[in-house]
Amino acid sequence: MHLSKVLVWRVIHVPTVLLAALLILLVAAPASGQALRGDEQERGGDGFLLEQNYPNPFNPTTRIPFVLDEGAFPGGREAVVTVRIYNVLQQYVATPVALNHPRGAAASLEELAYSSPGRYEAYWDGSDQAGAKVASGVYFLQLVVNGRSQVRKMFVTK
């Protein structure tokens, strides 16, 4: 191969290959860092389960199902629920709204109290906290119930 072709290949293709490898590592790596600590256990001893959002991938909106079992209501107390969305840099993006909650359809899922077990849903319109539509990519969905959390990946496509 001619020297100029080798230099062009190195300048154009090597950074592209490295970027692709980095993206694969980001998508495949489990969430780390304090903001996203959690597990994807199947309804462990925590009394709740974060199900996969649907559709996934999505554009522009998605629904986020979660289940609260009896274990989420220790001593008959209410379950305190928060749902947050983070980007791959683990930066806070948005908080979805609760669907069919006694506070109403526009209730933000930030420390929202639930009084009985059941299957519930949240709704996210694909906007960040400033109201701008988010870019295509991988996002992390975190459900926190009574201080315990579970995390799932979701994909926004344009």
Side-chain angles (χ1 to χ4, degrees):
M1 192 182 274
H2 193 267
L3 182 59
S4 63
K5 289 182 182 179
V6 170
L7 290 176
V8 167
W9 190 89
R10 285 186 181 166
V11 168
I12 294 173
H13 296 291
V14 171
T16 303
V17 170
L18 290 174
L19 179 61
L22 178 62
L23 287 173
I24 289 170
L25 286 173
L26 283 173
V27 170
S32 63
Q34 194 163 356
L36 294 179
R37 290 207 187 265
D39 52 22
E40 291 186 21
Q41 297 175 2
E42 291 298 315
R43 216 177 272 156
D46 298 332
F48 66 95
L49 172 67
L50 174 60
E51 296 179 350
Q52 188 63 56
N53 67 298
Y54 67 92
N56 190 40
F58 68 95
N59 177 28
T61 65
T62 190
R63 289 179 179 247
I64 303 157
F66 59 96
V67 178
L68 301 177
D69 288 335
E70 292 289 337
F73 303 89
R77 293 186 306 247
E78 293 181 323
V80 179
V81 177
T82 298
V83 178
R84 292 188 185 122
I85 296 162
Y86 295 89
N87 63 21
V88 294
L89 300 175
Q90 297 184 16
Q91 297 166 326
Y92 170 76
V93 173
T95 297
V97 296
L99 296 176
N100 302 321
H101 190 275
R103 281 196 189 169
S108 175
L109 255 163
E110 186 73 38
E111 295 189 11
L112 196 56
Y114 285 82
S115 58
S116 62
R119 187 174 189 274
Y120 298 96
E121 281 192 329
Y123 171 82
W124 184 44
D125 66 0
S127 297
D128 64 16
Q129 58 190 339
K133 292 293 182 187
V134 298
S136 295
V138 177
Y139 291 83
F140 293 96
L141 176 60
Q142 179 189 43
L143 170 68
V144 180
V145 178
N146 301 331
R148 309 275 303 182
S149 70
Q150 293 181 3
V151 176
R152 287 200 180 265
K153 290 179 193 170
M154 60 183 176
F155 302 91
V156 176
T157 60
K158 299 286 178 172

